Amino acid sequence: MKFDAMVLGGGIVGTSVALQLQRRGLNVALIDRKAPGNETSLGNAGLIQREGVYPYAFPRDFASLAHYAGNRGTDVRYHPTAMPKLTSFLVKYWHNSRPDRHAQIARAYSTLIEHCVSEHRELVEAAGAQALLRKNGWIKAFRTVKAFDGAVAEASRWKEEYGVEFDVLEDNALRQAEPSLNPVLHAGVRYSASESVRDPAALVGAYARLFERLGGKVLIGDASTLEHGWRVPTEVGVAEAETAVIAMGPWSGDVTTRLGYSLPLEVKRGYHMHYATKNGATLNQPVLDAEVGYMITPMARGIRLTTGVELGFRDSPKTPVQLEAVEPVAREVFPLGERVDSEPWLGRRPCTPDMMPVIGPAPRHKNLWFAFGHAHHGLTLGPITGRLIAESILGVHPTVDLTPFRADRF
């Protein structure tokens, strides 16, 4: 039970870190309370977002703020009881969303995003998981000309600044791409360089099996019990390692706080439900109904409907108000059949107020590393994060400069 490194957290980020370390010759344990891929990584929309160079910003115009303050939006809801705790975080988030600051953040963030597709493809090939990957992009669809024109202008700017490829789909082109969509969605932007996954949890599982084939150990244990000296009790004994990596997503703060760090980590909650289809309807790629704020994605289990953002305490009970609000709208857009799941799934996206993950060494502990806070882009950035942590631990100059993502920036 002695290892060169232990990785705490079996989501896409932690599994990628463990795999990248094991591939480079270290003896690694991956520790979590569940099998890999069964928490936050289970419930996303399955996107690998090459276009995601600008992380999701806080709205700053008065009309949007007034709209969300009423707490009736389909894309963002909040728990009033959580607002006193979240206020400081949201103020910082709002500040960092100022256009000049957001552009500065994008310049750093894009250095991660540019590697997301290539790093996934390498691991997918090694894991034999090609059947899970879809390479036809995803569509942001619109109901009004004004919103569509704004999205085209935004995509054009992203292409000029960062080389993000896109296609414009108007009327017939959108119908050809997705024949089963209601024409109420009259145009769209397809981000053709992005990819998607048919089953995110299965992809994490495939990476974990590759990790085990290479000699890594997947252990069941409560990673939050990490002790200095890097020891964690597991079902088969106490695991010990010279190096530890905290990659526990929204639970990372439980450990870092106990170790004396005060990092501004909060969560954006979100829900999903799977549906059968009716009348032989098909969905070829993920589609975002951008002006309402939900996404439908073809998954192995059915059509997955994912909601926007719910702001609240991490561990509060489910309140799937958004799902109930958007489901009737989604049924008008696409022929959804009966619900497949017995209840809505709730996930928690770990977020920082500057919209960037925490990747790098712990400032005050030797041989302790952080890899969390990826917000909406955990699946997107898991493999490149794993590579960067592995390179840094082994003393190799990292592929991406980690300075903007270090914990001591706060």
Side-chain angles (χ1 to χ4, degrees):
M1 296 296 288
K2 293 184 182 293
F3 301 89
D4 298 321
M6 63 171 64
V7 180
L8 310 177
I12 182 61
V13 175
T15 301
S16 296
V17 171
L19 175 55
Q20 298 283 26
L21 286 168
Q22 189 74 29
R23 292 177 88 198
R24 287 162 172 79
L26 272 66
N27 179 27
V28 184
L30 176 62
I31 303 174
D32 206 341
R33 58 191 176 186
K34 295 182 180 180
N38 281 283
E39 280 288 1
T40 307
S41 293
L42 185 148
N44 54 73
L47 301 181
I48 301 171
Q49 292 188 255
R50 175 61 185 88
E51 90 293 341
V53 290
Y54 278 82
Y56 296 103
F58 196 97
R60 291 182 61 89
D61 62 285
F62 179 78
S64 295
L65 292 172
H67 169 71
Y68 292 128
N71 206 21
R72 302 180 67 85
T74 50
D75 53 346
V76 178
R77 290 286 181 101
Y78 62 87
H79 292 180
T81 55
M83 286 302 101
K85 178 179 182 293
L86 294 177
T87 296
S88 175
F89 176 90
L90 293 175
V91 168
K92 294 174 184 175
Y93 185 11
W94 177 82
H95 168 74
N96 284 314
S97 299
R98 194 177 67 196
D100 61 332
R101 178 66 180 142
H102 196 206
Q104 179 183 349
I105 288 169
R107 286 191 288 274
Y109 199 67
S110 64
T111 63
L112 297 176
I113 290 289
E114 67 177 324
H115 297 281
C116 65
V117 170
S118 59
E119 291 296 320
H120 262 292
R121 285 185 178 180
E122 181 185 352
L123 295 188
V124 164
E125 187 72 24
Q130 295 91 335
L132 295 173
L133 195 63
R134 227 178 351 241
K135 298 182 179 181
N136 57 342
W138 68 278
I139 295 174
K140 183 183 289 188
F142 297 90
R143 297 162 177 260
T144 66
V145 173
K146 180 180 179 181
F148 170 63
D149 289 345
V152 172
E154 180 181 66
S156 299
R157 178 163 59 91
W158 293 353
K159 182 175 182 179
E160 181 180 352
E161 293 178 353
Y162 297 108
V164 174
E165 296 295 330
F166 72 98
D167 303 319
V168 174
L169 304 177
E170 295 190 74
D171 297 319
N172 289 339
L174 182 57
R175 300 281 76 76
Q176 291 174 5
E178 294 294 348
S180 298
L181 287 182
N182 188 314
V184 67
L185 296 177
H186 78 90
V189 173
R190 176 167 54 202
Y191 293 108
S192 53
S194 298
E195 299 184 349
S196 61
V197 177
R198 302 178 193 279
D199 187 334
L203 183 68
V204 177
Y207 290 173
R209 288 190 295 275
L210 174 59
F211 166 70
E212 290 182 295
R213 289 199 298 272
L214 295 174
K217 300 295 183 183
V218 174
L219 303 174
I220 301 299
D222 185 354
S224 67
T225 62
L226 176 70
E227 299 176 0
H228 194 195
W230 316 144
R231 296 163 50 90
V232 173
T234 76
E235 289 184 348
V236 293
V238 177
E240 302 180 33
E242 179 181 348
T243 298
V245 182
I246 299 174
M248 297 168 60
W251 295 276
S252 298
D254 295 351
V255 179
T256 59
T257 299
R258 184 162 51 79
L259 292 173
Y261 297 94
S262 180
L263 300 175
L265 189 69
E266 296 292 351
V267 301
K268 296 179 182 177
R269 292 157 49 111
Y271 298 85
H272 83 225
M273 173 62 67
H274 290 99
Y275 301 82
T277 59
K278 295 193 301 187
N279 306 323
T282 58
L283 189 67
N284 300 314
Q285 62 218 294
V287 175
L288 173 68
D289 188 345
E291 292 168 84
V292 178
Y294 68 89
M295 178 169 275
I296 50 175
T297 303
M299 291 285 184
R301 188 171 171 80
I303 302 299
R304 178 178 290 184
L305 171 61
T306 57
T307 68
V309 170
E310 180 184 75
L311 298 172
F313 296 123
R314 184 190 67 189
D315 299 326
S316 293
K318 297 178 182 180
T319 54
V321 176
Q322 285 172 299
L323 183 65
E324 302 298 336
V326 300
E327 182 181 301
V329 181
R331 289 186 180 280
E332 294 175 358
V333 165
F334 183 86
L336 296 175
E338 69 276 7
R339 287 185 169 190
V340 175
D341 305 324
S342 59
E343 61 177 332
W345 181 88
L346 166 64
R348 304 151 180 91
R349 310 172 184 99
C351 303
T352 66
D354 64 2
M355 296 162 273
M356 297 199 296
V358 180
I359 306 173
R364 298 193 302 275
H365 288 82
K366 184 180 179 181
N367 296 331
L368 180 65
W369 296 78
F370 295 160
F372 52 79
H374 293 73
H376 298 262
H377 289 153
L379 179 65
T380 295
L381 296 176
I384 182 58
T385 298
R387 176 175 179 168
L388 295 172
I389 290 289
E391 289 172 340
S392 299
I393 287 175
L394 290 170
V396 176
H397 185 71
T399 303
V400 172
D401 179 13
L402 289 180
T403 302
F405 312 106
R406 290 171 60 105
D408 55 11
R409 72 182 188 266
F410 296 114

